[in-house]
Amino acid sequence: MSTETLSPDARPVAGERRAPRRTPEPIPFGRVLLVELQKMFDTRAGFWLMASIVIASVIATVVTVLLGDRDSLSFDSFAAAVGSPMSIVLPVIGVLAVTSEWSQRTALTTFTLVPSRPRVIGAKVVDVLAIGVVSMLLALGIGALGNVVTSLVTGNEAIWDISAASFAKIVLANELGMLLGLALGLLFRSSPAAVVGYFVVNFVLPGVSGALASSQQWWADHAGWFDLNQTRFLLFDSALTGEQWTQLGVTTLLWIVVPFLVGLRLVLRTEVK
């Protein structure tokens, strides 16, 4: 047992002011971004969901080459074929980016290590949007490869009929879908409930809206101000008018911004167990 004692100079002196404890610096936002991005790949479900982006793009391209009319295939044909599975897979990524914290029971650890919950949610939003852009660029590259292969097989000149503006609108449409999934994830904080909610909004409500439009002239004339899908889907294959862009903004506010803010408030105020 040590018998060392403090020297008189090392002992605290009555009335002496101690140096204030140094406050640790906050975790850099860039590190939070990387950690949240890594968490989206850590689980098997997350890994295969990300891998399904590549797998679905390759399958859609191969099927288009094998079954499509090769003499009339163009870059737009491959973009449409690849875009269909992307519009389903990408929003689910937005949902799981939030709900996995509760389903995997990591929310307590996450919000303890980074007490500022808005920073964590902000990192998730940035990561989701970045994954959406990278996924669409990857899908575009696979579609372009399919277009080149078709040109080599048929001997026809490849048709590149998608402009940068058209591609930007397709990316915007998919990003809105991912943000809708993320907003529902914040609102429900349950993967099954948020996924079901997303499919209801995207596949059930359009049918209800169509039925109302066929029976009510008022709804047929004004559905664009309330139905997010009616205006969002125009981004895939149409040039929007000024009124349609305004309708897109209004429906985005109703179906994405408001649920996101309500869900964010619940996350900020709810006790994590």
Side-chain angles (χ1 to χ4, degrees):
M1 184 174 181
S2 174
T3 58
E4 292 183 0
T5 58
L6 294 176
S7 64
D9 294 337
R11 295 173 181 173
V13 180
E16 181 182 1
R17 295 183 60 185
R18 296 184 178 181
R21 177 179 293 181
R22 180 183 176 185
T23 302
E25 297 181 358
I27 299 175
F29 186 68
R31 188 181 304 168
V32 180
L33 280 175
L34 292 177
V35 170
E36 291 300 324
L37 182 63
Q38 182 180 3
K39 286 162 61 177
M40 297 174 71
F41 293 86
D42 276 349
T43 63
R44 291 182 180 178
F47 172 80
W48 285 109
L49 186 61
M50 297 296 178
S52 67
I53 296 174
V54 179
I55 296 172
S57 300
V58 173
I59 292 175
T61 301
V62 172
V63 169
T64 302
V65 172
L66 295 178
L67 302 181
D69 184 2
R70 297 179 183 177
D71 292 330
S72 61
L73 287 180
S74 65
F75 193 25
D76 182 65
S77 304
F78 290 98
V82 172
S84 296
M86 290 295 101
S87 63
I88 297 175
V89 174
L90 291 179
V92 177
I93 294 176
V95 169
L96 296 182
V98 177
T99 58
S100 61
E101 295 285 0
W102 280 264
S103 62
Q104 300 294 328
R105 301 183 181 276
T106 59
L108 183 60
T109 302
T110 297
F111 295 137
T112 299
L113 295 176
V114 186
S116 178
R117 297 186 186 184
R119 296 183 74 217
V120 175
I121 301 302
K124 291 181 182 294
V125 172
V126 174
D127 285 336
V128 164
L129 294 178
I131 288 175
V133 173
V134 173
S135 299
M136 291 306 301
L137 289 174
L138 180 62
L140 182 71
I142 295 174
L145 180 61
N147 197 31
V148 172
V149 170
T150 302
S151 174
L152 295 176
V153 171
T154 60
N156 299 327
E157 185 178 353
I159 302 175
W160 305 98
D161 52 354
I162 294 183
S163 63
S166 298
F167 179 70
K169 289 192 297 183
I170 294 174
V171 172
L172 175 60
N174 282 293
E175 294 283 40
L176 290 176
M178 296 188 76
L179 288 176
L180 175 61
L182 194 145
L184 293 175
L186 287 173
L187 193 61
F188 293 109
R189 298 182 303 284
S190 167
S191 300
V195 170
V196 170
Y198 174 78
F199 283 111
V200 167
V201 171
N202 279 270
F203 296 101
V204 177
L205 292 186
V208 174
S209 179
L212 288 174
S214 63
S215 60
Q216 298 289 334
Q217 187 59 40
W218 185 90
W219 185 262
D221 296 335
H222 300 88
W225 297 99
F226 305 98
D227 188 350
L228 174 64
N229 297 288
Q230 181 169 320
T231 50
R232 186 170 74 92
F233 289 164
L234 291 176
L235 291 169
F236 287 103
D237 54 10
S238 301
L240 276 67
T241 64
E243 181 181 9
Q244 289 171 334
W245 278 110
T246 305
Q247 291 174 342
L248 180 62
V250 172
T251 52
T252 299
L253 178 65
L254 291 175
W255 289 98
I256 297 178
V257 176
V258 172
F260 181 88
L261 294 177
V262 173
L264 179 61
R265 181 175 176 82
L266 291 174
V267 169
L268 296 181
R269 295 177 63 89
T270 302
E271 180 182 0
V272 180
K273 299 180 181 180

